[in-house]
Amino acid sequence: MFSDIASAIIIGLVLGSMYALAAVGLTLVWGVLKILNFAHGGFITLGAYFVWVGITFLGGNYVISFLLVMGLTFLLGFVLNAGVIRPLQGRPESETNIFIATLATSIIIENLIIVGFGGRYKSIPEMASGSLTLGSISINFQQMIIMAVAPVFLVGLMYYLKKMKSGMAVRAVAQDADGAAIVGIDSERVYSYTIAIGALMAGVAGVLLGVIFYLSPGMGGDPLVRALFIMVLGGMGSVKGTIYGAYIIGIIDALARYFIGMFWASPILFVMFILLLLLRPQGLFGVKV
Amino acid sequence: MSQKKKPILVAEGVSKFFGRMAAVKDLSFQVFEEEIYGIAGPNGAGKTTLFNIISHVLPVDNGQIMFKDKYIHKLSLDSIFRLGLARTFQIPALFKSLTVRQNVQVGATFGDPEKGVKMDKRDMENLIDETLDFTGLSAKRDIIAEELALMDRKLLMMASALVTKPMVLMLDEPIAGLGKVDSDQVMELIRNINKQGVTVLLIEHIMEALMGLSERVMIMHHGEKICEGKPDKVAKDESVIEAYLGEEYIRHKNQ
Amino acid sequence: MKSNKFLLEILAIVLVLSVIPALVRQQYILHVIMLAMIFGIVASNWNLAIGYGGMFHLAQVPFFAAGGYSTAILSVHMGLSPLIGILVGGVAAVILSLIIGIPALRVRGIYLVFLTFAFHFIMLSLVLYFVDITGGDMGLILEPIRIGATNIDMFNPVVTYYTALSLFVLSLVFIKTIIDSKIGLALVSLRDSEVYAVSRGINPYKIKLVTFVLSSFLAGVCGAFYVHYLRVVTPALFDWSFLITFLASIVIGGVGTLYGPLLGAFILTFLMESLRFLEMFRNIVFGLLMILILIFMPKGLIMLANRAQSIFSSRQNSAGIVDEEN
């Protein structure tokens, strides 16, 4: 029993790491632009496929492939902003229209992947084989890498937001766009950076998901729904709350998979999501909406 | 004269806080049936906030508000309107894609002109036409509201309230921003509304208008009532001159 | 005068659509037009909530699927007549809309998106899990709707076509009635200025809930009609491609317009059929079209028709003036 729970919690931390990366970008974009970027799931998928391409065609170099993913998703984030989001911002009905447009973007991404790589499942070769055994609990090296990589990015993001000049501008715009404009912050620039960083985070999440799960053109959908859940749980727009929320959801997800069954993990999370929306829409850590 | 009449709107110790700042602080006053009650005070005195908590655009934090022997501070904005307590807004609001007539029709349809009795279509049409006549908007009835000038926007906002035959009408700066001719017309309209038996609460920056129209005036400062009474008495009050006219006087001189 | 104009428009639509079966002999084309009508109904009812009500949500596919599965389950397991099943489908969608709408419409708009999104997945999970009832992945084989002795299915395309046409007209009248009613007036007011609308006696929660619920009914009816027409119900009813088709119909045709989503549905369905050679690129084309239209023509393609009409009438005017001068 103990080892079951321990193993489940380890899986939970692995899932939580991935969910944190998947959700944090979504939260950041919501916090700064007050828009829901539905293309986020598409960027998760892109991250996974880019790393697969890198590894398959670039001689199996994980580090270079990883950097490739980061660079590409970051750039595509700018493209998303310039081509889809910015033209719609500040117009009547912009909230709904941006939602529809980013949904359309995710459809485009999914189908581009189908066209480019086919609809069949793919898998990324193992990053590292072998595992570490502690008594009756074993952790494989891939899981350990994921648990280590995610915090690097999360802490990196926090550091960027807290200490670096452009990161502080992002926070300033999130708190008070008008005030930020008065002190000379170019909010348009901050918006495009924010979306690009969000896209990069989604790409990294996609890489880690791709390492553990199979790749399919619609693979971003599931983490996207969980990311939405986590975003609400963490209090809409709070990066810290989102990170806590992600690990909580990861562990619940793993326990459900372990003790109730694979099939039920998602429905259970959805029911919890609905209850959260109805009973505590401001999230665990948030103030009243 | 007003003393003989019954109070129709009573606020008892109402407060509204924004964070730690009190926008309205422990304020009590009574408005009597069929009077014009003026509210004045320097910018940021809490006048509009007071309107917002009476009409429940914002919830009141402390205290009670009574309208016609009924506590209303827990009712919603729309149900307060249906009871017969209507308001206008400082920045003219309108349904921009509807015609002038349809703007008034919204009030007639969702307000409750006959207080619980369903109106038939013909009666409602007549009521809308009468209200347009009364407010002087008949000629512009088919114009899309977005195209109206400031004066007509203010009139339209009053018309969409009047059409429901409210017992109390709260006007938030109905005259500010208008030229001489227009402001005279609005003042005349306010007197006519009052003559029909509607109690009027009036916020107005233009002091001549406020003092000329109101039977009684309340002066607010930092969210509190500092003085209340007949206009001539209030104008001479030491605390008012100090707190209010000081700032306002300087502002006027600078303009 | 306004309602006269609508009457003429609807007569024109009925006239054009009812002569088609006499002119077109290929059953396939009738099938395509019929699908366009059905999808157009679902889209334009969704538009009632999105475009007129300003409530963006993702429940239209769940409504459609609830309609399909409720009649399927009841007719397979309890022998319900599919003709009644169409109504049952509408009722099922209404019940679902109440379950979602009563709690969700009290909170901010974005939560409606979340909630409806979660419902989509939960319903799909339930359908996949209760294999005994729903047939799971394989789905259920269904009886067709029968009117008298005639089956409404693929083997009777002409009768089916006219049944769909009646639903189509019913939907148009239904939506027009709502837009012209008190509810429509309240919706426009709320869209123009919410606080002011509430200050004039409109209860926004009530109006939004009523609109949300009304917009679900025909989606459920169409879901039921659709599965009996195909004579099979499968989890494919929850497919994203439905969501894309309905949403793209609204956006491409014109958000918040009466005829826009219908026009959109016709354009999309025909594009879908004529772009078959593009196969996999089809959805990419739809996605791009949606984005381009949102950016460059936010009122949709129906605006082109309106503009053409106004140019035409203004030309007539100026021609008239020239005549007078002569």
Side-chain angles (χ1 to χ4, degrees):
Chain A
M1 188 62 194
F2 167 74
S3 67
D4 280 353
I5 293 177
S7 309
I9 285 176
I10 287 167
I11 300 286
L13 292 175
V14 173
L15 292 175
S17 305
M18 298 187 295
Y19 296 163
L21 287 171
V24 87
L26 201 64
T27 296
L28 191 65
V29 170
W30 172 268
V32 176
L33 288 96
K34 297 287 174 294
I35 60 164
L36 190 60
N37 174 14
F38 215 89
H40 201 71
F43 275 83
I44 293 175
T45 316
L46 279 179
Y49 274 84
F50 284 159
V51 84
W52 178 81
V53 170
I55 288 166
T56 317
F57 296 103
L58 297 177
N61 191 323
Y62 269 97
V63 177
I64 292 178
S65 308
F66 202 69
L67 291 173
L68 179 87
V69 169
M70 289 172 58
L72 281 176
T73 48
F74 189 69
L75 283 178
L76 286 174
F78 282 108
V79 175
L80 173 70
N81 181 52
V84 179
I85 295 174
R86 194 166 53 201
L88 291 172
Q89 243 183 345
R91 295 230 215 128
E93 314 292 329
S94 67
E95 195 181 322
T96 302
N97 288 348
I98 289 175
F99 187 82
I100 297 175
T102 53
L103 189 66
T105 309
S106 79
I107 293 163
I108 295 172
I109 293 175
E110 183 173 335
N111 286 282
L112 280 175
I113 288 174
I114 295 178
V115 170
F117 304 106
R120 265 202 235 135
Y121 288 107
K122 299 199 179 328
S123 67
I124 296 173
E126 280 194 347
M127 226 190 272
S129 55
S131 59
L132 185 74
T133 310
L134 293 167
S136 56
I137 307 155
S138 88
I139 315 170
N140 72 40
F141 288 141
Q142 296 215 109
Q143 295 174 339
M144 285 171 67
I145 292 172
I146 288 171
M147 282 193 281
V149 167
V152 170
F153 279 91
L154 297 173
V155 170
L157 179 67
M158 296 293 266
Y159 180 83
Y160 168 75
L161 291 174
K162 285 250 159 75
K163 300 280 175 203
M164 283 166 74
K165 207 177 155 208
S166 76
M168 291 198 282
V170 170
R171 282 197 321 163
V173 173
Q175 272 159 19
D176 178 3
D178 297 333
I182 290 168
V183 297
I185 294 171
D186 178 359
S187 58
E188 287 293 332
R189 236 175 87 119
V190 168
Y191 290 159
S192 59
Y193 267 95
T194 307
I195 289 169
I197 291 168
L200 181 145
M201 287 290 171
V204 174
V207 172
L208 301 188
L209 280 158
V211 168
I212 293 216
F213 299 108
Y214 286 109
L215 270 56
S216 70
M219 68 180 283
D222 222 40
L224 177 67
V225 192
R226 281 168 169 72
L228 292 175
F229 184 7
I230 290 161
M231 180 161 87
V232 180
L233 189 69
M236 296 294 284
S238 149
V239 170
K240 230 191 235 165
T242 298
I243 295 172
Y244 292 136
Y247 283 97
I248 295 174
I249 298 300
I251 288 171
I252 294 174
D253 196 349
L255 289 172
R257 281 168 199 250
Y258 226 87
F259 294 104
I260 306 173
M262 280 294 256
F263 179 85
W264 285 109
S266 287
I268 285 172
L269 286 177
F270 291 136
V271 170
M272 289 174 63
F273 187 18
I274 288 173
L275 291 177
L276 175 75
L277 288 169
L278 300 183
L279 302 178
R280 205 179 155 81
Q282 71 271 37
L284 278 188
F285 316 104
V287 279
K288 215 166 177 303
V289 209
Chain B
M1 189 184 95
S2 52
Q3 265 70 11
K4 281 180 227 155
K5 286 185 172 160
K6 282 199 304 189
I8 187 165
L9 185 69
V10 180
E12 295 164 358
V14 293
S15 301
K16 178 72 198 173
F17 299 94
F18 296 121
R20 243 178 290 165
M21 197 199 80
V24 173
K25 200 164 153 195
D26 197 22
L27 188 76
S28 302
F29 67 96
Q30 295 192 339
V31 180
F32 296 102
E33 271 180 352
E34 294 178 28
E35 75 170 329
I36 298 182
Y37 186 83
I39 301 172
N43 276 331
K47 304 176 302 271
T48 296
T49 306
L50 180 63
F51 266 25
N52 283 342
I53 58 182
I54 294 174
S55 58
H56 206 151
V57 169
L58 298 169
V60 63
D61 290 332
N62 276 319
Q64 295 175 317
I65 300 160
M66 190 185 262
F67 171 60
K68 292 193 295 182
D69 308 322
K70 188 170 177 178
Y71 286 112
I72 57 164
H73 50 278
K74 291 204 172 119
L75 300 181
S76 58
L77 172 61
D78 53 312
S79 39
I80 288 173
F81 178 70
R82 283 195 297 272
L83 282 179
L85 178 60
R87 69 166 292 179
T88 65
F89 294 88
Q90 193 178 344
I91 300 160
L94 66 156
F95 305 123
K96 61 178 192 305
S97 48
L98 298 178
T99 64
V100 167
R101 194 174 193 290
Q102 284 172 320
N103 264 265
V104 180
Q105 192 189 340
V106 172
T109 313
F110 297 97
D112 191 4
E114 295 301 317
K115 302 289 161 272
V117 182
K118 210 166 157 29
M119 284 181 90
D120 74 41
K121 209 175 161 202
R122 178 65 60 78
D123 288 346
M124 192 180 283
E125 307 266 303
N126 289 338
L127 181 62
I128 294 169
D129 290 339
E130 280 166 25
T131 310
L132 286 169
D133 274 342
F134 184 71
T135 48
L137 286 168
S138 284
K140 294 173 178 136
R141 53 195 295 150
D142 293 322
I143 292 177
I144 299 289
E146 195 170 20
E147 290 160 18
L148 293 181
L150 180 68
M151 167 70 169
D152 291 331
R153 287 177 182 221
K154 291 189 177 222
L155 291 176
L156 183 55
M157 196 164 43
M158 286 158 85
S160 69
L162 284 173
V163 75
T164 59
K165 305 178 185 168
M167 304 181 73
V168 174
L169 181 62
M170 308 202 295
L171 300 171
D172 195 348
E173 304 210 2
I175 294 160
L178 298 179
K180 179 81 178 80
V181 180
D182 286 345
S183 51
D184 284 350
Q185 191 191 328
V186 173
M187 282 174 71
E188 192 51 38
L189 178 64
I190 293 173
R191 283 197 189 95
N192 284 338
I193 292 169
N194 182 240
K195 265 182 212 151
Q196 300 209 329
V198 179
T199 310
V200 176
L201 256 74
L202 181 65
I203 294 177
E204 188 49 70
H205 253 108
I206 316 292
M207 288 311 272
E208 303 92 283
L210 185 86
M211 295 303 194
L213 282 168
S214 309
E215 284 168 50
R216 290 190 305 140
V217 177
M218 164 169 71
I219 309 293
M220 288 177 73
H221 190 43
H222 296 315
E224 290 177 275
K225 175 164 88 176
I226 56 169
C227 181
E228 185 185 36
K230 291 216 182 320
D232 50 342
K233 193 196 103 195
V234 166
K236 288 181 203 130
D237 193 282
E238 281 291 313
S239 62
V240 174
I241 293 164
E242 192 183 319
Y244 173 74
L245 290 181
E247 284 173 42
E248 193 71 355
Y249 186 61
I250 290 162
R251 210 167 67 93
H252 269 280
K253 255 178 96 172
N254 289 344
Q255 273 174 356
Chain C
M1 210 189 90
K2 239 182 177 177
S3 58
N4 274 344
K5 186 174 163 249
F6 176 66
L7 211 65
L8 283 176
E9 285 167 348
I10 218 167
L11 272 174
I13 290 170
V14 170
L15 208 69
V16 170
L17 286 176
S18 31
V19 295
I20 285 176
L23 304 173
V24 178
R25 288 275 165 237
Q26 295 112 306
Q27 302 199 344
Y28 174 68
I29 292 190
L30 290 187
H31 165 80
V32 171
I33 299 175
M34 194 216 67
L35 277 189
M37 289 193 283
I38 294 297
F39 291 168
I41 297 172
V42 182
S44 54
N45 278 275
W46 194 4
N47 179 49
L48 200 54
I50 298 182
Y52 289 98
M55 291 174 274
F56 188 79
H57 69 79
L58 297 172
Q60 209 67 2
V61 171
F63 292 155
F64 185 68
Y69 266 99
S70 59
T71 180
I73 291 167
L74 288 176
S75 65
V76 167
H77 296 290
M78 329 225 349
L80 178 81
S81 142
L83 189 58
I84 300 171
I86 290 195
L87 264 183
V88 170
V91 173
V94 164
I95 292 171
L96 181 61
S97 72
L98 284 168
I99 294 173
I100 296 175
I102 288 175
L105 292 172
R106 283 198 188 279
V107 281
R108 262 171 51 191
I110 191 85
Y111 290 90
L112 186 64
V113 176
F114 293 153
L115 202 69
T116 49
F117 199 45
F119 260 92
H120 182 118
F121 285 95
I122 286 191
M123 285 175 59
L124 180 58
S125 306
L126 292 177
V127 164
L128 291 175
Y129 184 75
F130 291 102
V131 180
D132 293 345
I133 301 173
T134 63
D137 266 325
M138 304 298 294
L140 298 168
I141 305 290
L142 304 175
E143 290 291 309
I145 296 162
R146 279 196 193 88
I147 298 175
T150 315
N151 288 351
I152 308 293
D153 62 10
M154 283 183 260
F155 305 106
N156 285 312
V158 175
V159 184
T160 308
Y161 179 91
Y162 283 113
T163 317
L165 179 58
S166 356
L167 277 178
F168 188 75
V169 173
L170 178 80
S171 164
L172 249 177
V173 175
F174 177 75
I175 292 170
K176 176 73 176 165
T177 311
I178 293 170
I179 296 170
D180 287 347
S181 74
K182 257 172 81 164
I183 298 168
L185 186 67
L187 289 175
V188 178
S189 313
L190 286 166
R191 211 166 34 165
D192 279 354
S193 170
E194 176 138 1
V195 176
Y196 183 43
V198 179
S199 85
R200 290 300 174 261
I202 294 172
N203 180 336
Y205 174 68
K206 218 163 95 183
I207 293 291
K208 286 187 174 176
L209 184 62
V210 169
T211 311
F212 186 66
V213 171
L214 286 174
S215 74
S216 72
F217 178 72
L218 282 174
V221 168
C222 286
F225 179 84
Y226 183 71
V227 297
H228 284 295
Y229 168 70
L230 294 182
R231 299 186 62 169
V232 61
V233 64
T234 67
L237 216 49
F238 286 95
D239 238 44
W240 280 91
S241 64
F242 282 114
L243 183 121
I244 300 164
T245 310
F246 302 151
L247 193 59
S249 299
I250 297 177
V251 172
I252 291 170
V255 184
T257 62
L258 180 63
Y259 297 108
L262 303 175
L263 176 72
F266 272 84
I267 292 174
L268 275 184
T269 319
F270 275 91
L271 272 183
M272 241 192 279
E273 298 306 327
S274 53
L275 294 184
R276 272 205 184 278
F277 66 95
L278 279 177
E279 201 99 36
M280 295 183 296
F281 289 95
R282 222 164 49 187
N283 284 334
I284 299 171
V285 172
F286 289 171
L288 282 174
L289 255 179
M290 279 162 80
I291 293 172
L292 290 176
I293 288 201
L294 280 173
I295 294 174
F296 297 109
M297 209 189 278
K299 289 265 146 89
L301 290 177
I302 199 81
M303 274 324 270
L304 292 180
N306 293 350
R307 214 171 289 163
Q309 200 183 14
S310 67
I311 287 171
F312 183 65
S313 54
S314 73
R315 242 192 222 150
Q316 273 187 323
N317 270 346
S318 54
I321 290 166
V322 172
D323 279 345
E324 268 171 39
E325 277 175 357
N326 288 345

